[in-house]
Amino acid sequence: MTENLSFKVVLKDKENGGKDEIKRFVTRKDVSTNFSGLLEKICSVFPQLKDDEVIIVSWTDEEGDMITIGTDEELAIALEGMPGPIYKLFASVTNNVKANSSADLPIHYGVTCDACGLNPIKGKRYKCVTCADYDLCGSCKDANLHPGHKMRLIIKSNNIQRDCVQASPKHYGITCDGCRKTPIEGIRYKCMVCDDYDLCQDCKGRNQHPMHNFTKIDTPRTFPRTRTFPVGLFSPINKVQEMTKKQSQSGNNSSQISHRGVTCDVCEKTPIVGNRYKCAVCADYDLCETCKADGRHPGHKMNLVDENSNKMKKEEAKRGSHSHHDLCNNGKANSGMPRRDMTENKSSKQFSSLNAIKRQIEALTKIEMEKNKKETEQKVESCSTLSTSSSPAVSFPSIPECPVCLEDLKPPLKIFNCRNGHLICSVCKPKVDICTNCREEYTGRATAIEQMLREMFNC
């Protein structure tokens, strides 16, 4: 049974000079500990109270001082300080609110007017008694923008500083079992008896799911982030990335190169600007970047000429025609090959060195993959040996018991379950109306559990 509290309320009318009116009423304890619920009860007991009137509730302490009640915490302190079992309260009514300046007006931080969107509400704030979360400012209340519902006047602000206003925390992945709201915003209440039962702040205030204790969770849980494993500084992957970066940089720089003295053999563009491609088969055949992209001169391999050979040609052009012929003649006398063949030899050597580096990187990656494969195989073998040595026989899960008769739920016994999955045998089910664990009704047969037990016992 729910515990009730008895109140004696003295309504004072100082402005009109009338007599005090005294009334007694009894209310539930959960309602009496909520200040807004207590105000609604006082308004229902005294029907002469109007919506625009300000009700000031107070009580007398041991020293005879009148202490005003404005929040749930102050109401709890008053109930502890007053002697029971009848709690005496004083209610005074005033119709006039002092006109304060704009600086002295109370500011309700975190509260938005649902009609005009004013945030925060300054001055008078009216909260709907019927709707769950509906507030109006003073001007919207005067315009009667929410008719048909009773509005409660709130003059005191919520005393939250501007810097402390934060969004209410959201418990992602958690659904309120009372109103089915997901995710739960604000405070989350988790049942300490049931396996998976949560309530939001509003449903907990309405005293849903009684007879069970709840734990209060303020901060939501954090989901683990995906881990990113760093790559070693000397790994082959880093080497490949460095090579591709250098090649892209060289490609970007090559677009600014001008190959003086070299003519494209297709479009006859001279000099070739950008990438220059030289045929590896023909003696003297060059293509520009556009002709190479069009697929001209097919069937022959075209080598990309790098910047070093172009620098050599620039140095040759600076020395003059005589020095250039002398250099070519010296090259012919010393090496027995023309100058163009010497540059081709140099570029081919550079390409062969790049291919050698790529082959080394591929070999390193293969070695690392083989090492990783061997390590995983060794781990699997060690785990298999440990499992065979530690558990020679397969262990079956324990057989569930009936919470009433404490007998094993062996087949061919019929098994029933409640909404939360708690089991009971068919013999004890007619004797019990609700589940002994969570106080929920039994929904039907637990056919999956019966099938699993039949497979265990081979019947």
Side-chain angles (χ1 to χ4, degrees):
M1 293 178 63
T2 58
E3 189 177 354
N4 296 329
L5 295 180
S6 180
F7 287 91
K8 180 193 288 186
V9 180
V10 180
L11 180 60
K12 294 185 176 182
D13 193 1
K14 296 180 180 179
E15 295 181 356
N16 299 327
K19 296 181 179 179
D20 297 340
E21 187 177 356
I22 303 173
K23 286 190 178 182
R24 289 182 58 176
F25 60 87
V26 178
T27 182
R28 298 198 310 270
K29 188 176 181 180
D30 55 349
V31 177
S32 62
T33 53
N34 187 2
F35 182 67
S36 60
L38 184 62
L39 276 179
E40 293 175 9
K41 186 66 177 177
I42 292 173
C43 292
S44 63
V45 172
F46 297 97
Q48 64 269 29
L49 297 177
K50 299 179 182 180
D51 294 341
D52 57 348
E53 292 178 338
V54 181
I55 303 172
I56 300 173
V57 182
S58 58
W59 65 286
T60 307
D61 62 355
E62 297 175 353
E63 298 177 357
D65 298 327
M66 296 292 292
I67 300 174
T68 307
I69 302 171
T71 60
D72 295 344
E73 186 178 355
E74 293 174 354
L75 178 60
I77 294 171
L79 293 176
E80 291 179 1
M82 286 187 293
I86 300 174
Y87 300 94
K88 188 175 181 180
L89 298 175
F90 297 91
S92 58
V93 179
T94 175
N95 294 325
N96 299 324
V97 181
K98 294 182 180 179
N100 299 328
S101 62
S102 60
D104 297 334
L105 287 175
I107 301 175
H108 303 270
Y109 292 108
V111 183
T112 305
C113 177
D114 291 288
C116 64
L118 179 65
N119 185 15
I121 294 177
K122 296 181 180 180
K124 295 181 181 180
R125 169 194 168 195
Y126 292 89
K127 184 173 181 62
C128 182
V129 179
T130 307
C131 302
D133 185 11
Y134 196 92
D135 298 271
L136 289 179
C137 61
S139 58
C140 293
K141 176 64 174 64
D142 296 337
N144 197 19
L145 296 181
H146 191 61
H149 286 188
K150 187 177 181 181
M151 306 297 291
R152 181 165 58 87
L153 176 62
I154 299 174
I155 295 179
K156 288 187 178 181
S157 63
N158 47 13
N159 296 326
I160 301 177
Q161 297 296 330
R162 191 188 303 265
D163 299 334
C164 299
V165 176
Q166 296 179 355
S168 57
K170 295 183 179 181
H171 303 264
Y172 291 101
I174 308 297
T175 305
C176 176
D177 291 291
C179 61
R180 310 305 299 173
K181 180 182 179 182
T182 180
I184 294 177
E185 296 183 7
I187 302 174
R188 166 192 167 202
Y189 294 89
K190 183 173 180 60
C191 181
M192 299 177 65
V193 179
C194 303
D195 295 332
D196 185 10
Y197 197 91
D198 301 271
L199 289 179
C200 63
Q201 194 171 0
D202 297 335
C203 294
K204 183 65 175 68
R206 289 193 289 268
N207 198 22
Q208 291 195 11
H209 197 63
M211 304 297 292
H212 283 188
N213 295 326
F214 282 83
T215 178
K216 184 180 178 182
I217 301 174
D218 297 325
T219 57
R221 62 182 182 182
T222 56
F223 291 94
R225 297 182 178 178
T226 56
R227 295 180 61 187
T228 56
F229 298 94
V231 182
L233 294 175
F234 304 100
S235 66
I237 300 171
N238 265 356
K239 292 181 181 178
V240 173
Q241 290 177 354
E242 289 175 4
M243 284 184 63
T244 53
K245 192 182 289 184
K246 287 179 181 178
Q247 287 179 0
S248 64
Q249 289 175 359
S250 65
N252 294 332
N253 295 331
S254 65
S255 62
Q256 307 296 331
I257 298 171
S258 177
H259 302 269
R260 294 183 180 179
V262 183
T263 306
C264 178
D265 289 292
V266 175
C267 63
E268 296 182 355
K269 182 181 179 180
T270 180
I272 294 177
V273 179
N275 291 332
R276 169 195 166 197
Y277 295 90
K278 184 172 181 60
C279 182
V281 180
C282 302
D284 187 9
Y285 196 91
D286 298 274
L287 289 179
C288 64
E289 190 172 2
T290 56
C291 294
K292 177 66 174 62
D294 293 340
R296 302 297 182 92
H297 198 62
H300 286 189
K301 184 180 180 182
M302 305 298 292
N303 293 328
L304 176 65
V305 180
D306 59 349
E307 191 178 356
N308 295 325
S309 62
N310 190 50
K311 286 182 180 178
M312 291 181 68
K313 283 198 173 289
K314 285 182 180 179
E315 291 174 0
E316 291 171 2
K318 285 181 182 178
R319 290 171 189 165
S321 60
H322 298 288
S323 62
H324 176 71
H325 289 301
D326 294 339
L327 183 62
C328 292
N329 293 330
N330 290 333
K332 289 178 182 178
N334 294 332
S335 61
M337 61 176 69
R339 177 66 185 167
R340 295 175 76 88
D341 294 339
M342 289 174 66
T343 56
E344 290 172 13
N345 232 350
K346 192 172 183 181
S347 61
S348 63
K349 283 181 182 178
Q350 289 174 353
F351 278 107
S352 63
S353 63
L354 284 172
N355 291 329
I357 291 171
K358 287 182 180 179
R359 286 194 294 271
Q360 289 177 2
I361 291 170
E362 290 175 358
L364 285 171
T365 53
K366 285 182 181 179
I367 292 168
E368 287 190 359
M369 288 173 68
E370 289 177 358
K371 283 183 180 180
N372 292 333
K373 189 176 180 181
K374 287 180 181 179
E375 288 178 359
T376 52
E377 288 177 355
Q378 289 176 0
K379 287 180 180 179
V380 170
E381 289 178 0
S382 62
C383 291
S384 61
T385 53
L386 285 172
S387 62
T388 52
S389 60
S390 61
S391 58
V394 179
S395 61
F396 291 99
S398 60
I399 301 169
E401 295 180 351
C402 176
V404 180
C405 61
L406 301 178
E407 294 291 336
D408 293 340
L409 299 174
K410 295 180 180 180
L413 195 65
K414 294 181 181 179
I415 305 171
F416 294 84
N417 62 347
C418 67
R419 294 179 180 175
N420 294 323
H422 300 128
L423 305 177
I424 191 171
C425 66
S426 58
V427 180
C428 300
K429 183 183 176 296
K431 303 175 184 177
V432 182
D433 295 332
I434 57 175
C435 179
T436 57
N437 293 323
C438 62
R439 306 293 181 184
E440 295 288 340
E441 296 179 356
Y442 288 104
T443 56
R445 293 273 296 277
T447 55
I449 302 297
E450 292 178 1
Q451 184 179 357
M452 182 187 70
L453 293 173
R454 282 196 297 270
E455 291 177 358
M456 287 174 57
F457 289 97
N458 296 326
C459 60

